[in-house]
């Protein structure tokens, strides 16, 4: 059997408030590199990047703050009120984020790495190159309770947030591995430790 030419790539995903960050931190504590799509989305539009230049070309300099950075609150307001503007913004940022993640995965020196991609199910057509999908799963009732408690949202808004994402069934259909995260911290430690050993074995 030929040796793997690249690190194994595991996409980490889950609905809002499922506990992706808690899982990512545990893998990082084991020495695994986690490359985050949310971090990438900020990196690819820093001053001097082609990403920010493309946003200014499309929306004008009014979307910049005094320091020449993207004025996020202003941009958020604009795209929230205008679905076409939101599509334009996503058409600029999403391909750059995918490329950033792909570059990090391709350069990975370890046996495997994780890519934290919250909206994986919604964009799976663009991520067929990952080797495995790890889903952090909780019942919707748990997501709702956490959103209300964590972010202070009212239940109606929390329900709208859940409805705007892929369904739990859609995410489960994509998953190779599932961490059920309605238990406590010790259960999470155990689940991550087990998957870490499994991934090391698969990657070797």
């Amino acid at each position: 059997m030929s040796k793997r030419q690249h690190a194994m790539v595991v996409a980490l995903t889950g609905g809002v408030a499922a506990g992706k960050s808690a899982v990512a931190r545990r893998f990082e504590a084991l020495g695994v590199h986690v490359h985050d799509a949310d971090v990438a989305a900020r990196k690819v539009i820093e001053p001097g990047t082609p990403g920010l230049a493309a946003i200014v070309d499309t929306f004008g300099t009014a979307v910049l703050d005094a320091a020449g950075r993207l004025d996020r609150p202003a941009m958020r307001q604009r795209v929230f009120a205008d679905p076409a503007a939101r599509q334009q913004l996503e058409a600029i940022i999403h391909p750059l984020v995918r490329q950033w993640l792909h570059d990090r995965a391709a350069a990975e020196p370890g046996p495997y790495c994780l890519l934290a991609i919250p909206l994986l199910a919604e964009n799976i057509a663009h991520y067929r190159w990952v080797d495995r999908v790890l889903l952090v799963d909780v019942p919707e009732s748990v997501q709702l309770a956490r959103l209300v408690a964590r972010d202070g949202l009212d239940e109606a808004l929390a329900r709208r947030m859940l409805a705007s994402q892929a369904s739990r069934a859609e995410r489960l259909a994509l998953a190779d591995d599932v961490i059920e995260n309605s238990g406590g911290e010790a259960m999470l430690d155990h689940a991550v430790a087990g998957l870490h050993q499994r991934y090391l074995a698969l990657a070797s």
Side-chain angles (χ1 to χ4, degrees):
M1 193 174 104
S2 67
K3 187 179 181 302
R4 288 184 76 89
Q5 293 304 304
H6 65 91
M8 185 171 80
V9 181
V10 181
L12 169 66
T13 193
V16 63
K20 295 180 298 295
S21 299
V23 169
R25 282 195 301 274
R26 282 163 171 78
F27 275 102
E28 285 179 321
L30 295 169
V32 179
H33 291 143
V34 179
H35 307 293
D36 192 318
D38 291 339
V39 171
R42 290 193 292 275
K43 295 269 189 198
V44 300
I45 54 168
E46 284 180 344
T49 58
L52 187 59
I55 289 173
V56 172
D57 279 349
T58 305
F59 296 101
T61 52
V63 297
L64 298 179
D65 64 17
R69 294 182 166 274
L70 184 66
D71 184 341
R72 287 172 183 283
M75 192 79 229
R76 233 191 327 268
Q77 272 188 318
R78 183 154 174 187
V79 301
F80 190 72
D82 182 354
R86 181 179 173 176
Q87 284 178 333
Q88 284 178 298
L89 183 64
E90 289 177 349
I92 294 167
I93 294 178
H94 287 185
L96 295 170
V97 167
R98 290 195 290 271
Q99 189 61 51
W100 189 92
L101 291 170
H102 192 277
D103 291 347
R104 296 300 174 290
E108 174 56 46
Y112 79 95
C113 66
L114 261 62
L115 306 181
I117 308 172
L119 300 179
L120 181 71
E122 293 83 345
N123 296 285
I124 191 61
H126 299 291
Y127 287 102
R128 295 290 180 198
W129 50 271
V130 306
D131 296 302
R132 292 184 81 77
V133 173
L134 168 57
L135 172 65
V136 185
D137 181 52
V138 291
E140 282 195 1
S141 57
V142 175
Q143 284 180 280
L144 270 175
R146 285 180 185 169
L147 273 175
V148 171
R150 183 189 76 182
D151 299 349
L153 303 181
D154 67 74
E155 194 175 318
L157 179 57
R159 285 187 186 280
R160 281 206 300 279
M161 280 180 72
L162 291 188
S164 73
Q165 295 196 333
S167 70
R168 187 182 180 194
E170 285 171 310
R171 285 192 292 267
L172 282 165
L174 288 178
D176 298 291
D177 307 294
V178 178
I179 291 179
E180 210 292 315
N181 187 31
S182 18
E185 301 279 310
M187 231 164 91
L188 211 49
D189 291 339
H190 180 72
V192 169
L195 278 171
H196 179 54
Q197 292 308 317
R198 185 172 183 202
Y199 292 159
L200 288 175
L202 286 169
S204 65

